[in-house]
């Protein structure tokens, strides 16, 4: 089973910041700092981010690609 299939099965097509922190084994505050930085991972996370109202979610498809490429 592919990474994307596993993540979609567990989280759906959008992941919360808490879901993403669990997958990447990082704290939520650490992820926020990474997204505001100038690293490659920060850039990829900003591209995967979607705002729905005031809430921030991440496209599971993009996160699976990040995990598979080993950027995180």
């Amino acid at each position: 089973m592919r990474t994307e299939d596993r993540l979609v099965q567990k989280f759906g097509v959008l992941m919360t910041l808490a879901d993403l922190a669990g997958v990447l084994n990082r704290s939520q505050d650490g992820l926020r700092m990474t997204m505001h930085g100038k690293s490659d991972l920060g850039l990829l996370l900003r591209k995967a981010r979607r705002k729905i109202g005031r809430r921030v979610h991440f496209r599971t498809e993009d996160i699976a690609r990040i995990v598979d490429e080993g950027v995180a």
Side-chain angles (χ1 to χ4, degrees):
M1 185 180 274
R2 298 180 320 156
T3 305
E4 180 181 348
D5 296 335
R6 283 189 218 148
L7 291 177
V8 168
Q9 186 177 25
K10 185 171 183 177
F11 301 110
V13 294
L14 293 175
M15 300 172 68
T16 64
L17 186 65
D19 296 338
L20 180 59
V23 169
L24 298 180
N25 198 25
R26 296 176 181 228
S27 70
Q28 293 182 36
D29 290 334
L31 281 178
R32 286 186 189 102
M33 290 177 63
T34 299
M35 285 190 293
H36 285 62
K38 296 182 181 182
S39 67
D40 292 337
L41 178 59
L43 177 66
L44 292 172
L45 291 176
R46 284 191 301 271
K47 287 182 179 181
R49 183 177 56 190
R50 298 292 180 263
K51 284 193 85 172
I52 300 174
R54 294 177 60 184
R55 298 176 189 249
V56 176
H57 289 79
F58 299 87
R59 291 187 55 206
T60 306
E61 175 184 349
D62 294 338
I63 300 305
R65 190 175 310 117
I66 291 169
V67 170
D68 286 342
E69 291 174 0
V71 177

